[in-house]
Amino acid sequence: MNSQSKLEKVEASVIVVQKNAKVSKSVSLNKHKKLKDAGLFALFVGPVLLAFTIIVLIPFFTGIYYAFTDWNGITGAVKWVGLDNFKYIFTEDKQFQASFKLTTKYTVVAIILTNAIGFGLALLVTQMLKTRNILRTVFFMPNLIGGLLLGFIWQFIFVKGFASIGELTGIPIFEQAWLGDANTAFWGIVIVSVWQGAGYIMIIYIAALQNVPQELIEAAKIDGANRWQILRHITMPLVAPAVTICLFLTTASSFKVFDANLSLTNGGPFKSTEMLALNIYTEAFVNNRYGIGEAKALIFFLVVAAITVLQVTISKKKEVES
C-alpha cells in the first residue's frame, strides 16, 4: 500500500508539473502574441500617429497657447495677455463680427445650393442615359481643380468674359462689375464654390441612390405613385444617411472657405466680402498680430465644431424618424 500511495503521489506530481508547464507555455504564447500585436500596431499606426501629432496636435495646442499672448509672429518676444485678445475681438473688432455674419450667410446659401444641385445632378446621371458616365465625369471635374487656380479662372470670367458678353448682347447682368460690387461679389464667390463642390456631393448622392431597392420603386409605381411621391416618400428617407454626410461636409467646407475668397476678391471691395478664414489670415500674417489671429482661429474652431456636431445630431434624429 505504501508503495502504491507513493506511486500515486508521484503521478499526481507529474500531472501538476505538466499542467504548470502548459499554463506557463500558454502565458508565454499570450505574451508573445501581445508583443507581436503591439509591434504590428507600432509599425502600421506609429508613423501615421507620429505625423498626426507633429502636423496637427502640436500646432493646435501651440496655437491655443499663442491665443493668450501678444506675439507678432516674427520676434521671439512673447507676452502673456490672458483674455485681452478675446475681449478685443468681441468688443472692438467690428470687422471680425462683420466677417462672421457674412460667413454665416454664405454658409447657409452654399449648403442649400450645393446639396440641391448635387442631388439634382445625381438624380440626372442615375437615369438610363447613354451619356451618364460622361456627364458624371464632366460634373465632377471642377472638384479636381485647385481652389486658387479655380478662383483666378473665374476672376477672368467675371471681369473679362462677362464684360465681352455684355457688350455683345446688352444683357444688364453681364454688364455689371461683378467683383466690384459687394452684393454681386458675394454671389460670385457662391457661384464658384457651388460649381466646384456640387460634383463631389453628387458622387455621394449617386452611391446612395444606387442602393435604393428598385423593388420598392416598382411597387410604388404599380400602386399609382407619381415621381414626386416616390422621391419624397421612398427615395429621400432611404438616402437620409447620405444627406447627413453631405450636410456635414458642406457645412465644414463653407465655413472654412478661403482660397476662392482670396483669389476672387481678396475680401474686397473695402473688406465687404472678407470671410472669417481670410480675416484670420490677414490678422495673423498681414497685420502681424499672430496672438489675435490665433484667438480668432480658436473661436472659429469652437463655432464650427459646435455647429457641425449640432447638425449631425439633428440629421441623425431625422434619419431615425424617417
Side-chain angles (χ1 to χ4, degrees):
M1 292 293 294
N2 290 334
S3 60
Q4 186 177 358
S5 62
K6 287 181 180 180
L7 182 60
E8 290 177 353
K9 288 181 180 179
V10 171
E11 290 177 351
S13 300
V14 171
I15 293 172
V16 170
V17 170
Q18 289 177 346
K19 286 183 178 179
N20 290 336
K22 289 181 179 179
V23 170
S24 61
K25 185 178 180 181
S26 177
V27 171
S28 176
L29 289 174
N30 287 335
K31 287 183 179 179
H32 179 72
K33 187 176 183 301
K34 288 181 179 179
L35 288 173
K36 184 179 178 181
D37 291 342
L40 290 173
F41 179 84
L43 178 63
F44 290 102
V45 181
V48 177
L49 185 61
L50 179 63
F52 180 76
T53 302
I54 294 173
I55 297 173
V56 177
L57 293 182
I58 293 176
F60 177 75
F61 289 108
T62 304
I64 292 176
Y65 165 73
Y66 284 129
F68 298 92
T69 68
D70 67 346
W71 189 40
N72 59 11
I74 301 174
T75 64
V78 180
K79 180 183 176 183
W80 183 267
V81 295
L83 297 174
D84 288 353
N85 290 335
F86 298 93
K87 291 179 182 177
Y88 168 77
I89 292 170
F90 288 114
T91 59
E92 300 181 35
D93 195 343
K94 303 300 182 184
Q95 183 57 45
F96 178 79
Q97 298 169 20
S99 296
F100 186 88
K101 293 178 182 178
L102 181 67
T103 305
T104 303
K105 174 184 174 183
Y106 164 82
T107 300
V108 173
V109 174
I111 288 172
I112 295 172
L113 291 180
T114 303
N115 280 277
I117 294 175
F119 187 74
L121 294 176
L123 286 175
L124 174 65
V125 298
T126 50
Q127 304 300 315
M128 298 303 295
L129 300 173
K130 292 182 179 180
T131 59
R132 61 180 181 273
N133 291 330
I134 297 175
L135 290 175
R136 292 179 186 183
T137 304
V138 171
F139 294 148
F140 183 73
M141 280 181 62
N143 189 257
L144 302 177
I145 305 174
L148 285 173
L149 179 60
L150 192 68
F152 287 123
I153 292 172
W154 273 93
Q155 185 186 63
F156 176 81
I157 293 173
F158 283 129
V159 175
K160 301 293 184 180
F162 278 23
S164 299
I165 295 173
E167 290 178 1
L168 292 173
T169 62
I171 301 174
I173 192 172
F174 292 112
E175 293 179 337
Q176 298 180 19
W178 270 72
L179 301 182
D181 179 76
N183 291 326
T184 53
F186 169 81
W187 285 106
I189 298 172
V190 171
I191 290 170
V192 174
S193 300
V194 172
W195 186 74
Q196 183 184 28
Y200 179 74
I201 297 302
M202 174 196 71
I203 297 298
I204 300 174
Y205 282 130
I206 288 174
L209 289 171
Q210 289 178 337
N211 287 324
V212 175
Q214 292 300 313
E215 296 82 3
L216 293 176
I217 296 177
E218 293 297 331
K221 289 180 179 178
I222 293 172
D223 289 338
N226 56 37
R227 290 187 177 183
W228 168 247
Q229 290 172 329
I230 293 172
L231 177 65
R232 180 181 177 184
H233 297 291
I234 296 177
T235 305
M236 289 303 297
L238 292 175
V239 301
V243 174
T244 300
I245 295 171
C246 292
L247 287 176
F248 170 78
L249 292 174
T250 50
T251 300
S253 62
S254 298
F255 258 106
K256 296 185 296 182
V257 62
F258 173 75
D259 41 14
N261 191 195
L262 178 66
S263 55
L264 273 176
T265 65
N266 197 22
F270 306 107
K271 293 187 177 294
S272 60
T273 60
E274 187 179 76
M275 305 287 182
L276 269 178
L278 183 58
N279 179 266
I280 293 169
Y281 170 83
T282 303
E283 193 71 74
F285 300 107
V286 178
N287 299 337
N288 291 328
R289 295 197 292 183
Y290 199 89
I292 296 177
E294 282 291 351
K296 290 182 178 182
L298 181 58
I299 296 170
F300 187 36
F301 167 77
L302 294 174
V303 169
V304 173
I307 291 175
T308 50
V309 168
L310 180 63
Q311 174 264 310
V312 170
T313 303
I314 295 173
S315 299
K316 285 291 183 182
K317 289 182 179 178
K318 293 293 183 181
E319 288 180 28
V320 175
E321 291 174 1
S322 61

